Amino acid sequence: MPLNSARPRFTDNACDTVSVERFNMDTEDRGYLLQGIQKHRYPKSVFFIVGNEFCERFSYYGMRTILSLYLVDILRYNEDSATLIYHAFAMFCYFFPLFGAILSDCYLGKFKTIFYLSLVYAAGNIVISSSSSPLFGVDHKRFFSLLGLLLIAVGTGGIKPCVSSFGGDQFVLPQQAKQLAQFFSLFYFSINAGSLLSTYLTPVLRHDVQCFGEDTCFPLAFGVPALLMVIALIIFLLGKKQYVCKNPEGNIVVDVSKCVSHAVCQKVQSAEKKEHWLDHSVDRFGQGLVNDTKAAMAILWMFLPLPFFWALYDQQGSRWTFQATRMDGRLGPFTIKPDQMQVVNPFLILTFIPLFDSVVYPALARCHLLTRPLQRLSVGGLLAALAFLVSAFVEMKLEATYPVLPKAGISHLRIFNGLDCAVDVQSSIATLNGRVASLDSLPLVDIPLTDSAQYTLNFTTLNCPQLKNVNFTGAVTLTEAQAVSLFLHSTLGVPTASQVPGFDAVQKDSVNPIIRVLFTTPPKQEVLKLTQDGYSKNIVLHNNTFNTLPVQVLKTGRFELELGGNKLVSNVELNPAGIYTLIVNSDYNDKIEANLVTVTPPNSVHMLWLLPQYIIITAAEIMFSITGLDFSFTQAPVSMKSLISAAWLLTTAFGNLIVVIVAEVQFFESQVHEFILFAVLMVIDMVIFIFMALNYKYYNPNSNSSSSKEIPAEKQND
């Protein structure tokens, strides 16, 4: 056999499109080839591809880590809508790989596909970073942010099936099969390294940096991933002269689709009976493709229950992140940010992979347990269900700390007393009668109400130094399903009851404490300063009003108070996500008194209680995702690798679609019940999968295929 006839012919030009002959050699020919060819150098071009992948994964995970909080805090979506958008975005990210593979294999080739779609990808990052600035109104922010997410989904999804296989194209096979395996290990490491670093860094940029007059800096937090995507594109182009590129050879997905559709049509139209319905396509597509399609269909059948795992797994970035916002992240001098909890997953992945390979699986094998891939897949799914049962338990603990919100048919009224004495309250509504102490508030009052109504309340001061037993009245307008406040204060020595403008913000929408000030001050502008270890927050008390708007404080703990240059006697303690009202009473003699009233209790359940569910879901991922990749790769016929890879990615897309449907339908008001629903459905799903697996027969795909044998360069991850 001539040596040159068995080798692929590559040119030395810059990413020239070349003709590549597939390997179709028997054992003797291959041995001759290995003995007759000098050792090939490790292709330097793959380091550009690995560098590109590191930056691209940094960009993707960095953006995705803060996405849920951006949708809620900046775009003002509620948590259900934010969950829907987040998982719709994730669904498209895993749906577009199918089109990226077709575009690459049929039209452009891998290099041009990666290059063009990376431009779309970078543009999406730039759009979402720009639109997150205060220069845009909320409506424009929403439009351009969603446009940016769509562009990112097209970009990251389109290049997903191309990058790793393009790296595999740089190796000469079968001579460099070992080096190819090393490349995939390095490639996988770059994915998790980029994910680990960005998942930690972008929440810091979001929370700890202030820009454009805002307490947070989403433009920078999105801007750094955008910059990394531009760097990824530059790194990719720097290796252009060293890449080996291959001609588009057609896409097996298209071929299989034609084969299946032709078989269906022939079966309907023909009365001839075949052993298998796909055999109707043999006359047109050949026995090899038909046999490979049969094998692929068996694997695709096993894939049907798998999307539900991803429905649970991908909620780490949505429901579990929202769960973390309602928890206390303080850990000594360090504060864990809610979106930073996602860093646990890539960290544990890097830890668990060698642990499972060297300890867990060998130990189970000695007991004859989990020796087959489908067994591990089943246990991985059940572990995901367990993780959601744990998250439901944590959510039950959290519900005790949630604020009491006014519902339909109910209105809430809080009465704050800014006078230096207690006040009796009387009204025609029994629940509004009571006594409110000085610089304190009347406990939360539920008032049955439809639509809105105005009420008159009667007040009597009790032993005030200057206002002894003075009677006065005040009016308050209540609105259904809203909370309002009434402030008792004095104006030039006359007691007054004034309704605080607007509605009270009692729902937690930030991990930072929120504080407003109700004050009785001399008629001049003052500045209330909260200080703690070099950090300060200034709140301006204007002379034409008695209240301030709620403001976020970026620190927690004890603060010193200073008003108009005078330190207040009492310090205040602000804790994570607590909503507070500070009542300040001052007179012309510079006597200042203040008291902090807790409107919404702060987060009290520590964020580390999330660790068990993260540990369990990561163990589930190791047993499910990595095993599933191995099962797909080893069981698929050689000619069907790209088809099965595309189908595996589509299971993630459909898993996110399930979350979108559940979030849209809103089966339950309680998040606990939703978590339990997912856990129960996951168990049912895995029981069905186990019964399907009992009938699956493991086989060597090469023995069922008459198509050309080759060592594929595509082993997809994420």
Side-chain angles (χ1 to χ4, degrees), residues 134 173 206 213 229 320 404 460 495 501 527 562 573 602-603:
L173 297 176
R206 171 192 65 81
M229 190 58 222
W320 286 11
V404 179
T460 302
V527 175
E562 183 180 306
E573 183 170 353
N603 296 344

Side-chain angles (χ1 to χ4, degrees), residues 47-302:
F47 294 106
F48 294 98
I49 296 172
V50 170
N52 165 270
E53 183 69 9
F54 170 83
C55 294
E56 187 273 327
R57 290 290 87 184
F58 184 107
S59 176
Y60 175 75
Y61 282 108
M63 179 279 305
R64 200 179 77 164
T65 297
I66 60 175
L67 178 58
S68 293
L69 297 185
Y70 173 69
L71 294 171
V72 172
D73 294 349
I74 305 300
L75 300 188
R76 295 299 172 186
Y77 289 106
N78 60 40
E79 289 189 8
D80 286 329
S81 297
T83 299
L84 187 151
I85 294 171
Y86 178 91
H87 288 281
F89 166 70
M91 178 188 68
F92 283 121
C93 287
Y94 287 91
F95 182 73
F96 282 113
L98 183 63
F99 294 95
I102 295 174
L103 185 66
S104 169
D105 292 349
C106 296
Y107 301 103
L108 298 180
K110 296 183 181 69
F111 177 83
K112 289 183 179 179
T113 300
I114 295 171
F115 173 68
Y116 291 141
L117 292 182
S118 291
L119 291 175
V120 176
Y121 194 165
N125 276 285
I126 293 171
V127 168
I128 194 172
S129 176
S130 302
S131 62
S132 64
S133 72
L135 302 177
F136 293 82
V138 173
D139 291 338
H140 289 90
K141 281 179 185 289
R142 287 184 172 184
F143 173 78
F144 285 106
S145 295
L146 296 180
L147 175 62
L149 290 176
L150 178 60
L151 294 175
I152 291 172
V154 172
T156 188
I159 70 175
K160 194 180 292 292
C162 302
V163 178
S164 62
S165 59
F166 185 60
D169 288 345
Q170 310 308 305
F171 295 87
V172 178
L173 297 176
Q175 297 94 317
Q176 291 186 303
K178 182 178 180 180
Q179 290 88 337
L180 176 62
Q182 293 172 345
F183 161 73
F184 281 124
S185 297
L186 182 61
F187 189 83
Y188 184 78
F189 180 84
S190 70
I191 289 173
N192 286 280
S195 170
L196 182 67
L197 185 60
S198 63
T199 304
Y200 172 79
L201 182 60
T202 50
V204 174
L205 299 176
R206 171 192 65 81
H207 181 272
D208 294 349
V209 179
Q210 302 177 44
C211 61
F212 296 103
E214 302 285 338
D215 289 334
T216 57
C217 195
F218 278 97
L220 178 62
F222 283 127
V224 170
L227 176 62
L228 264 292
M229 190 58 222
V230 173
I231 294 174
L233 183 57
I234 293 173
I235 292 175
F236 183 70
L237 290 177
L238 288 176
K240 185 175 186 293
K241 293 184 178 181
Q242 301 187 47
Y243 294 141
V244 171
C245 298
K246 297 182 179 181
N247 274 327
E249 298 179 350
N251 190 279
I252 194 65
V253 177
V254 177
D255 295 337
V256 169
S257 299
K258 292 179 179 179
C259 178
V260 171
S261 60
H262 180 73
V264 172
C265 292
Q266 289 297 109
K267 178 177 175 59
V268 173
Q269 297 174 3
S270 174
E272 182 182 2
K273 293 184 178 181
K274 299 283 187 179
E275 183 179 354
H276 193 283
W277 61 272
L278 279 171
D279 290 334
H280 287 282
S281 287
V282 171
D283 58 335
R284 182 171 178 180
F285 294 95
Q287 191 66 52
L289 180 61
V290 169
N291 287 344
D292 287 353
T293 303
K294 291 178 183 178
M297 295 291 284
I299 301 172
L300 295 177
W301 169 254
M302 297 304 302

Side-chain angles (χ1 to χ4, degrees), residues 359-371 376:
V359 178
V360 177
Y361 287 148
L364 291 172
R366 286 193 291 270
C367 301
H368 305 289
L369 297 174
L370 304 187
T371 57
R376 295 177 183 178

Side-chain angles (χ1 to χ4, degrees), residues 343-364:
V343 80
V344 173
N345 178 253
F347 175 78
L348 288 177
I349 287 175
L350 296 176
T351 305
F352 279 7
I353 288 177
L355 178 65
F356 272 70
D357 287 341
S358 60
V359 178
V360 177
Y361 287 148
L364 291 172

